[in-house]
Every structure is written in C-alpha cells, then in structure tokens.
Amino acid sequence: MKTIDLELEIWRQKDTITAGQFENYTLKSISTDMSFLEMLDVLNEKLTREGKEPVAFDHDCREGICGTCGAVVNGIAHGPEPGTTLCQLHMRHFASGDTLVIEPFRSRAFPVRKDLMVDRSALDRIIQAGGYVSVNTGGTPDGNSTPIPSATAELAMDAAACIGCGACVASCPNGAAMLFTGAKISQLCLLPQGQPERRERALAMVTTMDSEGFGNCTNERECEAVCPKGISISNIARMNREFVKASFLG
Amino acid sequence: MELNSRVPTGPLAEKWDNHCFASKLVNPANRRKFKIIVVGTGLAGASASATLAEQGYQVTSICIQDSPRRAHSIAAQGGINAAKNYQNDGDSIHRLFYDTIKGGDFRSREANVYRLAQVSNNIIDQCVAQGVPFAREYGGTLANRSFGGAQVSRTFYARGQTGQQLLLGAYSALSRQIKSGKITMLPRKEMMELVLIDGRARGIISRDIISGKLETLTADAVILATGGYGNAYFLSTNAMASNVTAAWRAHKLGAGFANPCYVQIHPTCIPVHGDYQSKLTLMSESLRNDGRVWVPKTPGDKRRPASIPEAERDYYLENKYPSFGNLVPRDVASRNAKEQCDAGKGVGSTSLAVYLDFAEAIRRDGEANILKKYGNLFQMYEKITDSNPLHEPMMIYPAVHYTMGGLWVDYNLMTTIPGLFAIGECNFSDHGANRLGASALMQGLADGYFIIANSIAGYLGSSDLKSVNTDHPQFLESQKKVHDRILKLLRSSEGGPEGKFTVDEIHKELGLLLWDHCGMARNKEGLEKALAALPAIQEKFWKKVYIPGSGNELNQSLERAGRVADFLEFAEILIHDALAREESCGCHLREESQTEEHEAKRDDANYSYVSVWEHQGEGKQPQLHKEPLTFTEVTPSQRSYK
Ligand SMILES: Cc1cc2nc3c(=O)[nH]c(=O)nc-3n(C[C@H](O)[C@H](O)[C@H](O)COP(=O)(O)OP(=O)(O)OC[C@H]3O[C@@H](n4cnc5c(N)ncnc54)[C@H](O)[C@@H]3O)c2cc1C
Ligand code: FES
C-alpha cells in the first residue's frame, strides 16, 4: 500500500457570524487509495482522539451524485481532477509533502455555516421559482403519447445531469449561478413537456437568481471547467436566448 | 399487538379499485384543515409530500440533508420497472406481480404486490409528464432494458442515473408546492422522537442540525419515508446519513417491525480496501451479462491474474450453475463469492474479492462494443481503484445494499400505530425476502404518488381527531426525553478522550459483528454468539464513547452517535429475527436449512409468515408476532438455478 504525508491548511469557522481562520494540520501515512473525504475522516478521528473539534464538512452519497460534498482545494472547487466531485477525488493524485489548502465554497449567496459547510438553499429557491412542469399527480397521458427524438432526450439529459453542488458558483469570479440555472431551463425548454410554461419559467428563474445575490456571467468559463458533471456553458447561452425571447417577445 | 392487514375482499385484480371506492374521502375544502408531517424527501417522501399538497393538505416535510434533492434515492443507477409491455414481449401486470412475488421467495403479501404492479404504469406516465429525460429509441418512444434476470424488457432508465432523474422529478413537484405555500420544507432537521396522544401519532420532535435546537411539530398524521437500515452494518452502499432512527423510535412506541433479518447483499460492489473505508460503491449488476466470475483454483495463489493459466482458474458460477452461469440471482452470486473467499481463494490485497473478467467478451465483441455498454462503469471503477477493467479483471465483493424488512404496515401503509404511516424502503411491504432489481424505485413512487393520499384520506375521514398544540404535556414530555437522551449520549465524554472510543470505532465493531454472523449465510451458533456479544458493545458505547462538542450546536459526531445508539438497539431484533427464522429464504441462507446440493431450502410448512416484532420495554426480550401469508393466485415453488 502506497502512502503519503500531507500538510493541511483548513478553514475553520465556528458559525456564520464568527470570523474564521486557517489552521494547520499534519497527516502522515495516508493511503493513496483513500478518497479525499476518507482522508478528512482520518483527520477527524485523529482530532477527536486528541480532544479537539473535528472539521465539519457536508457529504452523503460519496459516489459523486448527491451534490452534497464540496470544498475548494488549492484554489479549485472539488480539487485538481477534472470531472470529479470531492468525494470521488482520490489521494493518489497528490504527492507526499504536498500542502493542501482546503476552504469552503465561497460566494455571497452561500453563507458559511461551519468550517467547510455552506448554505446553498438559494439554489433550491431558484428551482422553486419555476424549475418544474406544473402537473399534478394523476391524469397524465401515456408515456409514449408524445414521441421525443432520442437526440433531444439525450441533450435534455446532459443538462439534467447537474447535481446542484454549487461548484460553478464557487468558481465564478462573479459568483454567478448561470450554469446551474441554465441547465434546468435548458432541460425543460428542450422537452415538449416544458413548452407551455417556457417563458414564465425563464423569467421567474432568472429573476430569482438575481434577487438571491448571484452575480452575472462575464464568460470566464470557470464554471464549466470545475463542473463535476461536465455541464456545458452552451446551457447558459440557451438560457440567455430563452430569457431574451421571454422578456422582449412577451 | 393486533395485526390486521386490512386486505380488501374481492378478486385480486379488483381489490385496489374496490378499496378506493369503499374508502372514506376528505372533501377538497376540508383538506386544508389537516396537517401532515412527511419525514424524508427521497422518492417516497418527496412524491408523497407533493401529491398531498396538490390535493390541498397542509404538509410539513423534513429531511437531514441541506436540500430535499440530496436524499439517498439520488444514487440509484439501474432503472425502474413498469408493466407497460411497450416491447410487446409478453409483459403484463400479472407477470410483474408474479415476478415480484416469486423474486421475494413467496414471503410478501399478494394484494400489496398486485397493487404495486397495477400502479407501476402510472408512475412512468407521471415522470414523463414532469420532464424526466428517460432514454428513448430513435423513433422517439421510451426505451427499455432487461434487468436483474427478468425475462422481459420492462426497465425504464435515464443513463446510469435513473434514481437521480426520478428524484429530481419528485423534487420539482415538491418545489412547486413549496412555492405555492402548501409545503413547509424544513431541511437539515432530524426527527428524534414520535409523539403519541391518545394512542395516535400526533407529531414529532426534531433537532435542528445547524443550531442543535429541539423543535416540536404537531400533525393529524405522520408519514415516515426515512429509507432503509443497511448502515447498521457500517459498510454498505447506502448514503452516509441513512439510518434507522425514525423507524426505531416509532417501534419503541408500539409500531411493529417486520422481517428485520431480510437484508439484501449485492454481489457486485468494489471490495473493501482499507480500515479507513467509509462506504462501499455498487457496480451495476449489468456487468455480469458480459463479465465472467472466477478465482484461482489453488487457495493462496497470489500471482497476477494474467499469469494464472486458464486451467488453473475456477469459473465457479459457470461450473456450479451451468444453465444460469454468471447470471444467477444476487443472493446466489453473493453467497458463492463469500464461500470462495472463506476457502482461501479470494484475490487482491485483502483476499476478500473475486475476479469479474471481461477478456473473453472483449475478444468476442471488441473493445469498442464493450466500452459502449460499460464505459461509464469502467471509468467509475478506474477512478476508485486505479485499475482499468479493459486490461485486468475487475475485482468485486458483496456488500449490504437494501433492506426488505421495515415497519409493518397494513394494506393502507399504516403501521400498528394509528395515524403513523410508513412508505418506501422504510416499510416491509412489497419485496418479501428479496427485492428484484429496479423495483425499489417503483415501490417508493407507487407509495408516494398513488397510494398514500388515498390511505390518508381514509384515515382522516374516519377518525375523530381532537386538535392538539405544542404545549400539550405529551409534547413537553417527549421533548424532555430527547433532551435527556442527548445529555446521556454526551455524559461519557466528560473526562476527555483518554481511554475512550470514537463513534465510528464502535459502529465498525457492530458492523463487523453483523456482517460476520448475520450476513448472507447464518447459523444458530453464530447468531447466538452475536446476540451474546451485543450487550458488551452497547455498554462500551454508553460508557466509553467520546463525542466532542455539545448538543447546542452543529455537531456531526453527536448526530452519528444518536444514529449508532439506535443501530445498537435495533441490531438486537435483527439478530433475534434471523435466529427465529430457521429456514433459508430470499436473500439469505440459513445453513441448517439446505438441500443436498447445498442450495437454500425454504420451509413453507413452518415459515410462511411475516415476522413482526413488538417492543416490550427496555431490557426485555422483544415479542414475535406472525402475520400468516396465504397465496391464492400463485403457487409457491422452490427456486432452482442449476
Ligand atoms: C447504490 C444504489 C443503487 C440503487 N439502484 C437502484 C435501482 O437501480 N433501482 C431501484 O429500484 N432501486 C435501487 N436502489 C434502491 C433504492 O435507491 C432505494 O431503496 C430507494 O431510493 C429508497 O427511497 P426512499 O424514499 O424510501 O428513502 P431514501 O431515499 O433513503 O430517503 C430517506 C429520506 O429520509 C430522510 N431521513 C431519514 N431519517 C430521518 C430522520 N430521522 N429525520 C429526518 N429525516 C430523515 C433522509 O434525509 C432522506 O430524505 C439502489 C440503492 C443504492 C444504494
Ligand atoms: S457526497 Fe454525494 S456527491 Fe460527494
């Protein structure tokens, strides 16, 4: 089993209102087969045994699908491996002696709750503004009554693959949530089911995005670079077209 | 404890219709007067919350995660079954019903399973209408695949992310109702206690995960949609927060717990690689369509797989089960892998793995074709293990995956506590002793979208419920109980960590005990040993666990400790149940009950019943009740895969 030694600088913050600071830790003999979160588990077990407070961080599935985990590692949201969530990042991508600077996803719209945990509920509120098709349970037509070309379904699926982790926001110099919002708007405007509410949806979701304190897109493309699911910025272009059509064409 | 399954009369195919007709309704204008708490926002909880809110009830939804969209259901990969028969390959409601009953090894209730098959088709229509991007054929119709050994193609899927897409569909419906003000959504809350007034479920005590504050919520009915208890084993494919707490608290207040020993162990997971390991990752079962399972013939053979010649490999599934080969059901594949490893033939650094080899399939179909089918799985495997399955065989090992057992419910999905309902994986209702692939998503959404609203109306419409508020003495008492319990959890930490154990250390100890003695193969001696070993672990926990921090703040160690405390108690009925069921059935082998060829032997004469456990008070033996199972439409047959 190959192991490495690491220096960690981790952001520690008691709660939303208290100021935070970096603290340094040394970890020895970390197996390179570990995931990043398992490395943090090991640190936390160590801190606990020393009577110190473990580092709070969010996580659940540890399979790269729930979007719960996330931190900025050496300046990159979810760390250095492209297309990978923090929970799927493995320690073999680091070398012995490396220093890892680990901090929360920072953004005006994401208040820090504790250490590496942030509040991303603003993303939920963007969905609540219109990220759905207004159908009640029951009385829906047969699934095959509206054929959808396979290519369209695939394109919608590309957008729908977003896990809502917020890395796009954390990596954007403007703190924009355009990739997240664009992905949902795209999924629904590509599908026939999304047509009836197409305009209201684009207007409502974009307006909420602004009012929640997310910034604007200036084509930095950082969001696309860090997205663990490879969501394309063509979704932002599509959202912009939808928004323009909805605002000017009424 | 009275177990009245309330299965409606009449022919099987008409029971659900008859029941809906006979059941009491609540008129639309009155619905807003009723408050319903839904605990959990997985497929079952999110779909139930949205549907009840659409109908006009006042719904409060709570979940542990920071957003309802992150529930464990999000991780399901393979697909969801429905009896649409779009492929014209002979599927029907009756066939889906039959396959599910047979798959469950004749240990589930006919009427519930039939209803599940009936509403399965509505689920697909509902999800399509929400904009779930299911896979499509070139002509635009919905695509299907065959899954988990089914002989028909009835599984609908969205790439390898079906659970994600279905959950996001339900979450979108939930979000719409949050916006309309009919659902109060409370994320980052954990239910700590159920509150009963006059014997009925009338609310819960929850803990705010951020502030640590205890909160009370009143209701006219409470729905638990809190998922399965696989994490009792520490290592499983479940998400880290999956737990038994809500169900266990309800159990201790009188809800019967059914078939806790039915735990499904999935054969194709990435093996454990170190003691720091936190969870296990599932590799889709579909891999067994092309991969060949083998181990070296000689125990202890540590050569690289490529250096082991054909003649020295044991393709044990193909040899033992010539007609099914590598495609034997989950339990048979899992058990045989363990058997090989127990015999010293396991591979890899821990010797707890077997090979799943694609070399022959690659020679036959070419790399490109294999990658087309399994490219994303190979990638995921490589990401975790740093090994490319195109060049060396995968290593796999079984892992705890799904729990068929759960709170006992009647046909209305109501537990033995009036006003307390259980839906999704947290009930026991539809999968008997073994769940078929792609059926859990179906059941969660059937319960949530199509069944629970009817049951709730029936209950509310026929019950005389007095109004209650949070200063009712019972709420105060329950809140105090939770408060005291948290203090008790923290007590052992007072003198500092010296000589103490972390929560995870004790959880791992419990997990190992269960895995060793209450896993895929069990025997009386091992189970009795486990039962005898349990009190010492419980005592160690309560006397020597070290939890940093306090209860009045965000404290992830405390959260885990509360869940582990409940797993430790729950383990007792899990083992008792396994001990009492002296037959092999479904996903587990009881070693004393085997055929001459060492295959599982079910014992219908003595065990054709649902085991339902009743809590008798702290320190007392739980009591076993039985709901007999009778079959009128199907004739139980013994499985054979030879
Ligand atoms: C890796 C994997 C792959 C799978 N693939 C498939 C598949 O392809 N097809 C299939 O049919 N099935 C599959 N399954 C099984 C299926 O995903 C689950 O059985 C199903 O999603 C369970 O849904 P649920 O709604 O019952 O519960 P969950 O999704 O587990 O949701 C539980 C909810 O309850 C909440 N909760 C729990 N306890 C509390 C508490 N005390 N207080 C507050 N909230 C609480 C949680 O926060 C969560 O919101 C898979 C399972 C796994 C692990
Ligand atoms: S923990 Fe779920 S995506 Fe990382």
Side-chain angles (χ1 to χ4, degrees), chain A residues 37 58-70 85-88 163:
Chain A
L37 300 189
D58 261 326
H59 63 101
D60 199 22
C61 73
R62 298 202 172 194
E63 284 189 15
I65 190 73
C66 72
T68 312
C69 69
T85 54
L86 197 63
C87 58
Q88 289 289 285
I163 57 173

Side-chain angles (χ1 to χ4, degrees), chain A residues 63, chain B residues 39-46 62-65 68 70-81 147 162-163 167 189-192 225-228 237-239 241-243 245-246 279 282 401-402 423-426 435-442 444:
Chain A
E63 284 189 15
Chain B
V39 186
T41 59
L43 285 175
I62 82 162
C63 70
I64 293 176
Q65 291 78 9
R70 307 198 201 283
H72 163 61
S73 293
I74 200 97
Q77 304 167 350
I80 177 165
N81 288 331
F147 198 73
T162 316
L167 184 62
K189 307 267 181 198
E190 180 157 6
M191 168 175 163
M192 308 298 282
T226 48
T237 62
N238 289 8
S242 298
N243 70 88
T245 290
K279 77 158 283 183
L282 176 75
H401 179 56
Y402 180 88
I423 61 178
E425 192 175 336
C426 87
R435 172 178 73 81
L436 290 184
S439 291
L441 303 183
M442 168 171 75

Side-chain angles (χ1 to χ4, degrees), chain B residues 114 182 202 261 315 326-327 345 352 362 384 399 451 501 505 566 569 589 612-613:
Chain B
Y114 195 86
K182 297 209 200 92
R202 294 309 302 268
C261 85
Y315 294 89
N326 296 297
L327 290 173
K345 295 194 243 170
L352 287 175
I362 293 169
I384 296 174
I451 299 169
F501 300 89
E505 283 173 320
D566 287 329
E569 290 181 9
L589 179 84
V612 188
W613 296 87

Side-chain angles (χ1 to χ4, degrees), chain B residues 19 76 390:
Chain B
H19 179 71
L390 284 178

